Amino acid sequence: MTSSAQTLTRRHMLSGAAGLAALGAGWIGAPRVASARQADNLARVDALIARMTIQEKAGQLNLLADPFRFRPQNVNPLDGQGDPARVTQMIREGTVGNLFNGIGADAGRRIQTIAVEESRLGIPLLFAADIIHGLKTVFPVPLAEAAAFDPDLAQRTARAAAVEGAASAVHQTYAPMVDVARDQRWGRVVEGAGEDVWLNEVLSAARVRGFQGERGLADRDALLATPKHFAAYSAAIAGMDYNTTDMSEATLRGVFLPPFKAAFEAGALSVMSGFNALNGVPVTGNPWLLTDILRDEWGFAGFVVSDYTSENELIAHGFAADGRDAARIALLAGVDMSMVSGLYLEHIPDLVAKGDVPLARVDQAVRRVLMTKAALGLFDNPYRGCDPRRERAVVGSKAHHDLAREAGVKSIVLLKNEGALLPLKPSGQKIALIGPFGDDVDNIFGPWTIWGDESRRVSLEAGFRAAMADAGDLVVVKGSEVEAELAGGIEAAVLAAGQADVVVLAIGESTRMSGEAQSRTEIDIPAPQRALAEAVAATGKPVVVLLRNGRALELAGPVKDAPAIVVTWFLGSEMGHAVADVVFGKVSPSGRLPVSFPHRSGQSPYSYDHRITGRPADNSLATQEYVARYRETTNTALYPFGHGLTYGAVTYGAVTPSETSLAWDGSVELSVSVTNTGDRAVEETVQLYIHDRVASLVQPGRRLRDVRKVTLAAGETKAAVFTLRRSQLEFIGGDGRPTVEPGVFNVWLTSSAQAGTPVTVRLAPPA
Ligand code: NOJ
């Protein structure tokens, strides 16, 4: 990383006019315009900038949590943002240009009116919100939805969330989170698309397309997307949220950056910088990331917003001396908008007056923010999203709830189903629904819902009752709290299990056990629930485990040994219906794990695509010594990435490549036949993995490069056909650049990261 490290040091050391001159005019950069509309917007914006005072400029770069509609728990003393009267005054003065986490058409109009009618320049406010997996209608948490391996679904749920948000006076969402999550201890795994780079890229682009829509940002249903947290935030050492990150440039560019690039290629026009330091430089003060890569390499034209006071945290990092220094470093690095800290407002005038930040850099940041407001159509229609009739018509619509149910069904992953215990019969079978999540509604939305409609949460019990013919066949017993014992709970559970034909054990994590600041040292099921599972298993009744979870879990003892295990995550508003649809066989399960379930917590961080070692072990060699394994387990997964069963079975034929040699600019077709040997319609997700056998950097054992969804009627056989090209064989080399090397590649078309037998394809050198 020599050259980038040098650039970084040079930039960080800069201060004063001489240093700033060294940045060169190119760094300040002329704005690019791609259309007549953008040229008009630019003329309008530049005319405004010419009239703005330095305080008004700082105001456009200042973002506060909305005190009118959403009060943050910890009001920041720097700016009194929890005080509506104070913020009203700031809007009038033009010292705040952006508010977040307030919603509502009526309130939006009231607050926007202050900016448009009562401030000197009448610049509209930008309203942002954390709309992560739905607004009032709550869709599955992003990790769950990733299990559908279905970009079209992700795009549709993002679209529905955007329609609800945009009708509720929101212009920007702080989503998607595109942090590739390889350590399941990290609580925010739940907010993203899991451990795989390719799946993150594909879903990142789909979600951006969904939020922003296809009719331009000025469309009434569009939300500006904000991929976050740039960059490598999820690589927090030991999985502890906010922890520092340290990695090679090849890993940064090969694993953590691609989903951001995919988001920008899909049109995302804002991005959030993270809390973490990367290789010793906090990303919110990191010009190499925020300017060299983001602007100069990728040509990103939108604005960068810090994450909740992350510029202020440069002080705690020991990277800035005080608030003024922190504002200087963040601004010079490339952060355009400051979230909550108030530091930009407080210090920009003096930083510019003393020559520590060039006015041109402030103007550039203001231009980016105002150009985005213009792209959203706010100068022409500042009251977009402020029509309560439209808000009532679209928010929580039947179409959105139907979609939440469909997405819920597609997110469910069947890990195990011995003796075809599932599906259960909707009648004639006595079911004991046991565990803390049976009648619970507090843990079906999962983390990151501020406005979900709590009156429309479907519990498992409600879903089961709606699906079952005779309500008398279901008994519901809690048995245990999530993290504490329940007096008499186990006795009641054992009694109920004894009288039932089958037990459905709904156990796992509560909403609060994943999400921001919710890292865990062990990714296991809490002890009181393990005791419950033990007691229920001892009754000898067949047990179906329904896991509630925001990350991969370590499964042990009677949970691991249960004949049927289903991953149900947090599925949102329609959770109970979606689970019942699968459990009672209305729909065959089709989800696949977007994260590996390791044997033991201590394998973390774990991802299927870790680089191979010189002492590889394999699954069957538990007693082999002097290989890369633990004393207690091989370093494989109990349930690997990509795994997921359905009702009945799907078998794979041999993989046939059209040719065994791939020309440099050519392609090879690979095909495999898949057969549904069961008696129900199913959907199979065929996965294409590659491995570069000999390369100039040690490669992962496998990398996912494509998938095909195949729907199969009972007894049907179809071919899944893939096209392999050189671009899919590329990796990031030691110099940080995309590399592809001629030679032999293993290629799998198979059902999971641990299944299948490879064929070989030789990439020929350029002719
Ligand atoms: C902090 C979180 O890290 C980020 O994801 C979120 O968007 C902001 N807070 C705003 O709520």
Side-chain angles (χ1 to χ4, degrees):
M1 202 136 96
T2 324
S3 62
S4 44
Q6 276 165 1
T7 317
L8 217 153
T9 314
R10 179 173 64 83
R11 287 267 171 78
H12 180 230
M13 300 301 284
L14 290 170
S15 77
L20 291 167
L23 291 167
W27 178 67
I28 295 296
R32 286 184 306 271
V33 287
S35 66
R37 184 181 143 90
Q38 276 183 12
D40 286 350
N41 286 344
L42 185 60
R44 190 175 196 172
V45 161
D46 278 344
L48 260 179
I49 291 176
R51 295 172 58 206
M52 290 168 84
T53 65
I54 191 72
Q55 281 80 13
E56 284 166 336
K57 289 177 181 175
Q60 285 305 312
L61 308 182
N62 188 28
L63 164 76
L64 298 182
D66 187 333
F68 303 95
R69 297 166 287 180
F70 174 78
R71 281 167 194 271
Q73 300 279 301
N74 306 310
V75 171
N76 196 295
L78 283 172
D79 48 51
Q81 66 168 351
D83 175 356
R86 168 91 184 99
V87 174
T88 301
Q89 188 53 26
M90 291 175 76
I91 298 171
R92 285 199 187 103
E93 289 167 355
T95 52
V96 60
N98 319 280
L99 296 176
F100 78 99
N101 279 352
I103 63 150
D106 273 330
R109 180 174 293 274
R110 190 163 42 79
I111 299 156
Q112 193 66 292
T113 305
I114 305 169
V116 173
E117 304 288 335
E118 301 175 31
S119 73
R120 189 177 78 91
L121 295 171
I123 300 174
L125 292 161
L126 177 75
F127 295 137
D130 284 284
I131 300 176
I132 310 298
H133 53 114
L135 187 81
K136 296 264 162 116
T137 311
V138 179
F139 299 100
V141 290
L143 182 65
E145 195 187 64
F149 278 63
D150 185 346
D152 173 65
L153 180 72
Q155 181 167 341
R156 285 190 290 134
T157 61
R159 188 87 286 267
V163 166
E164 293 198 6
S168 308
V170 179
H171 313 130
Q172 176 185 15
T173 177
Y174 294 145
M177 190 192 90
V178 301
D179 296 315
V180 176
R182 306 166 91 87
D183 194 325
Q184 302 298 310
R185 293 170 297 182
W186 189 56
R188 303 192 76 172
V189 171
V190 67
E191 295 176 46
E195 74 188 39
D196 178 65
V197 182
W198 182 87
L199 189 60
N200 266 279
E201 285 180 272
V202 167
L203 294 183
S204 166
R207 286 173 173 150
V208 168
R209 283 196 304 272
F211 286 130
Q212 297 198 163
E214 276 154 8
R215 296 190 294 262
L217 278 179
D219 183 69
R220 71 169 179 189
D221 292 331
L223 280 188
L224 171 68
T226 311
K228 64 186 187 185
H229 306 81
F230 195 64
Y233 174 51
S234 51
I237 290 177
M240 186 183 69
D241 204 10
Y242 314 124
N243 206 4
T244 204
T245 64
D246 215 297
M247 68 185 69
S248 70
E249 187 167 353
T251 297
L252 176 70
R253 288 183 182 268
V255 175
F256 295 96
L257 295 189
F260 284 96
K261 189 135 186 283
F264 301 133
E265 284 167 4
L269 264 191
S270 63
V271 61
M272 188 183 293
S273 66
F275 290 126
N276 56 300
L278 172 64
N279 301 335
V281 181
V283 295
T284 289
N286 194 324
W288 178 61
L289 269 181
L290 299 180
T291 298
D292 295 2
I293 293 180
L294 189 61
R295 305 287 178 183
D296 300 346
E297 272 185 42
W298 295 354
F300 174 65
F303 70 85
V304 178
V305 60
S306 66
D307 194 358
Y308 213 99
T309 72
S310 59
E311 67 282 13
N312 193 39
E313 291 165 25
L314 298 179
I315 306 170
H317 273 292
F319 195 74
D322 51 27
R324 186 181 186 282
D325 200 30
R328 179 186 68 82
I329 291 171
L331 197 52
L332 289 180
V335 174
D336 300 302
M337 185 186 287
S338 145
M339 187 191 289
V340 166
S341 76
L343 290 182
Y344 275 22
L345 183 65
E346 193 178 342
H347 297 295
I348 280 178
D350 185 62
L351 286 167
V352 171
K354 302 242 169 69
D356 290 330
V357 168
L359 181 61
R361 166 65 189 121
V362 174
D363 285 350
Q364 178 192 56
V366 173
R367 190 178 292 113
R368 287 174 183 159
V369 170
L370 294 184
M371 283 296 281
T372 310
K373 289 187 178 185
L376 284 159
L378 283 170
F379 289 107
D380 299 321
N381 179 15
Y383 300 107
R384 56 170 284 178
C386 295
D387 174 0
R389 275 169 312 172
R390 174 150 176 88
E391 186 181 33
R392 280 194 296 276
V394 300
V395 172
S397 68
K398 174 163 187 319
H400 291 176
H401 276 261
D402 289 348
L403 179 59
R405 184 168 181 164
E406 177 194 338
V409 165
K410 290 180 169 168
S411 301
I412 292 169
V413 186
L414 179 65
L415 295 184
K416 183 180 183 187
N417 192 21
E418 279 173 11
L421 180 55
L422 287 172
L424 302 182
K425 299 185 201 64
S427 65
Q429 199 174 28
K430 293 219 172 297
I431 300 172
L433 175 58
I434 295 175
F437 303 109
D439 64 354
D440 161 88
V441 287
D442 292 332
N443 298 288
I444 64 174
F445 284 174
W448 259 135
T449 48
I450 305 177
W451 307 278
D453 184 348
E454 296 191 347
S455 68
R456 298 178 71 184
R457 295 177 293 183
V458 183
S459 68
L460 293 182
E461 177 179 4
F464 277 34
R465 290 208 187 282
M468 291 172 68
D470 182 352
D473 282 346
L474 181 70
V475 49
V476 182
V477 176
K478 196 168 187 186
S480 164
E481 301 290 357
V482 176
E483 293 183 89
E485 289 171 14
L486 180 68
I490 289 195
E491 292 76 359
V494 167
L495 192 67
Q499 291 165 359
D501 299 319
V502 59
V503 174
V504 176
L505 190 60
I507 54 174
E509 299 182 305
S510 63
T511 293
R512 286 154 149 235
M513 291 174 70
S514 57
E516 188 178 344
Q518 304 307 321
S519 297
R520 302 186 61 196
T521 56
E522 311 292 327
I523 55 170
D524 56 3
I525 291 171
Q529 295 185 72
R530 295 205 305 269
L532 175 67
E534 199 85 55
V536 166
T539 65
K541 291 296 164 87
V543 175
V544 176
V545 172
L546 298 185
L547 293 173
R548 184 74 53 106
N549 52 324
R551 51 162 67 78
L553 294 174
E554 173 190 305
L555 308 179
V559 176
K560 179 179 165 187
D561 296 339
I565 307 176
V566 188
V567 178
T568 69
W569 322 101
F570 302 100
L571 295 181
S573 305
E574 295 287 329
M575 176 144 195
H577 288 145
V579 173
D581 285 347
V582 169
V583 163
F584 293 103
K586 190 169 157 196
V587 189
S588 302
S590 60
R592 301 299 176 124
L593 288 180
V595 282
S596 307
F597 276 48
H599 295 276
R600 302 290 289 266
S601 294
Q603 289 174 259
S604 307
Y606 182 88
S607 66
Y608 80 89
D609 60 348
H610 54 83
R611 292 188 201 276
I612 51 178
T613 72
R615 296 272 181 112
D618 80 38
N619 213 2
S620 57
L621 299 178
T623 56
Q624 192 187 347
E625 294 198 317
Y626 301 106
V627 293
R629 58 177 289 265
Y630 296 93
R631 286 174 61 88
E632 297 83 0
T633 175
T634 54
N635 199 24
T636 54
L638 173 64
Y639 291 110
F641 174 88
H643 173 75
L645 304 175
T646 188
Y647 296 149
V650 174
T651 56
Y652 280 65
V655 177
T656 44
S658 58
E659 289 164 75
T660 52
S661 181
L662 168 61
W664 191 250
D665 290 315
S667 63
V668 165
E669 282 214 336
L670 293 138
S671 144
V672 68
S673 68
V674 281
T675 302
N676 176 6
T677 62
D679 54 9
R680 296 162 175 269
V682 303
E683 184 184 76
E684 177 67 10
T685 301
V686 184
Q687 302 154 42
L688 168 77
Y689 295 92
I690 61 129
H691 170 64
D692 188 346
R693 284 203 188 168
V694 180
S696 55
L697 268 195
V698 172
Q699 293 297 301
R702 290 191 193 195
R703 287 163 65 210
L704 181 70
R705 305 311 288 146
D706 205 353
V707 304
R708 289 278 177 278
K709 295 253 177 203
V710 186
T711 49
L712 296 164
E716 193 180 12
T717 298
K718 276 186 189 161
V721 183
F722 294 79
T723 306
L724 187 70
R725 296 199 165 79
R726 187 183 82 226
S727 58
Q728 289 161 297
L729 307 177
E730 215 170 74
F731 65 93
I732 298 297
D735 59 358
R737 292 175 196 285
T739 308
V740 61
E741 294 166 351
V744 178
F745 291 78
N746 288 349
V747 184
W748 293 256
L749 302 186
T750 186
S751 60
S752 86
Q754 274 175 208
T757 312
V759 294
T760 56
V761 172
R762 175 180 291 277
L763 174 65

